[in-house]
Amino acid sequence: MKRVLVVDDDPTVSEVVAGYLDRAGFAVDVAADGPTAVARASARPPDLVVLDLMLPGMDGLEVCRRLRAAGPLPVIMLTARGDEEDRVLGLEIGADDYVTKPFSPRELVLRVESVLRRTGAPPAALAEVSQPWLRAGPLALDPTARRATRGGTELALTIREFDLLEYFMRHPGQATSREQLMRRVWGWEFGDLSTVTVHVRRLRGKVEEDPARPRLISTVWGLGYRFDAPSGHETAVGRDR
């Protein structure tokens, strides 16, 4: 049973969210402030954290920083509808997803399930027959183990960053709009497109030699982005050796 830590100082919100998650088959723990959330996550690491940004004692952004510093733990933020700056900052420091208040508890459960599916181990059938690595210039990506390297050095990617890089490497030379990326990578039919922008910026910071002058993930003005293999290199698949 997957464990979810719900962090919100509003007892009504916590009770409703915990109830829906419990009925969906999750084990749920609840914390009402930042220090308690960090302590509980340290003592008994959850599989995912649902985290409100506005918390007493320690705000949600600082909680997110500390959780992400301790290791790869999926985080879904709860934000007020008008807090775009905080929402973007939360994505910048490693949150995997967000839901704006007021929200549908059913939607939140679907987001939790979606994020956990992407962090889980591959199905047995896929594990028995490993998928080929994807390669493009200095980048190599193992879809089965969900590992990616640049020049032989492993990249510390969040869930969405990995999914985004895998999509780009599977579609080299193809211009893709932010709306298309939101549907194909996030699985959302609609949402805040700044989510895509922030994740592309974070991914560039990890895969580009000079993120200010990206050579791999190019901006297609007026449309979106395109993944370009370095000159003289072709995107290819193959076993890692």
Side-chain angles (χ1 to χ4, degrees), residues 28-125:
V28 185
D29 194 7
V30 175
D33 58 68
T36 301
V38 173
R40 290 189 180 174
S42 177
R44 191 175 187 183
D47 295 289
L48 181 143
V49 178
V50 175
L51 176 64
D52 186 26
L53 282 185
M54 301 298 293
L55 293 171
M58 180 190 302
D59 68 25
L61 293 175
E62 181 60 26
V63 174
C64 188
R65 286 190 188 95
R66 297 193 184 194
L67 294 177
R68 293 296 303 170
L73 174 62
V75 175
I76 296 179
M77 299 183 304
L78 300 179
T79 74
R81 191 170 298 277
D83 294 341
E84 181 176 358
E85 183 177 345
D86 284 344
R87 184 162 61 245
V88 169
L89 182 55
L91 293 170
E92 289 278 13
I93 62 177
D96 298 282
D97 206 343
Y98 71 88
V99 175
T100 55
K101 294 182 176 180
F103 60 88
S104 161
R106 291 187 181 87
E107 177 192 357
L108 177 58
V109 170
L110 291 174
R111 295 287 180 90
V112 169
E113 292 172 340
S114 173
V115 171
L116 286 175
R117 273 197 304 272
R118 293 177 180 274
T119 61

Side-chain angles (χ1 to χ4, degrees), residues 25-238:
F26 296 100
V28 185
D29 194 7
V30 175
D33 58 68
T36 301
V38 173
R40 290 189 180 174
S42 177
R44 191 175 187 183
D47 295 289
L48 181 143
V49 178
V50 175
L51 176 64
D52 186 26
L53 282 185
M54 301 298 293
L55 293 171
M58 180 190 302
D59 68 25
L61 293 175
E62 181 60 26
V63 174
C64 188
R65 286 190 188 95
R66 297 193 184 194
L67 294 177
R68 293 296 303 170
L73 174 62
V75 175
I76 296 179
M77 299 183 304
L78 300 179
T79 74
R81 191 170 298 277
D83 294 341
E84 181 176 358
E85 183 177 345
D86 284 344
R87 184 162 61 245
V88 169
L89 182 55
L91 293 170
E92 289 278 13
I93 62 177
D96 298 282
D97 206 343
Y98 71 88
V99 175
T100 55
K101 294 182 176 180
F103 60 88
S104 161
R106 291 187 181 87
E107 177 192 357
L108 177 58
V109 170
L110 291 174
R111 295 287 180 90
V112 169
E113 292 172 340
S114 173
V115 171
L116 286 175
R117 273 197 304 272
R118 293 177 180 274
T119 61
L126 290 180
E128 291 174 3
V129 182
S130 297
Q131 300 180 66
W133 283 58
L134 303 173
R135 300 179 181 282
L139 299 178
L141 183 145
D142 181 352
T144 302
R146 292 185 66 84
R147 295 176 55 236
T149 61
R150 183 182 187 281
T153 301
E154 187 154 355
L155 297 171
L157 302 178
T158 66
I159 299 163
R160 297 298 189 189
E161 289 167 0
F162 183 93
D163 293 339
L164 190 59
L165 179 59
E166 181 178 1
Y167 180 86
F168 279 139
M169 292 182 71
R170 289 189 184 278
H171 301 84
Q174 176 179 308
T176 309
S177 70
R178 292 189 300 167
E179 291 87 352
Q180 289 171 321
L181 289 171
M182 180 160 282
R183 287 195 300 271
R184 297 171 184 176
V185 177
W186 276 257
W188 303 353
E189 288 301 320
F190 58 88
D192 184 351
L193 294 178
S194 66
T195 301
V196 178
T197 305
V198 170
H199 278 81
V200 169
R201 183 164 64 244
R202 284 178 54 85
L203 183 58
R204 280 173 168 165
K206 297 178 180 182
V207 304
E208 297 282 2
E209 183 174 344
D210 180 1
R213 294 178 174 83
R215 303 284 298 276
L216 296 171
I217 305 173
S218 303
T219 297
V220 180
W221 297 109
L223 178 61
Y225 305 99
R226 184 185 63 246
F227 183 79
D228 296 313
S231 178
H233 295 79
E234 293 182 357
T235 302
V237 298

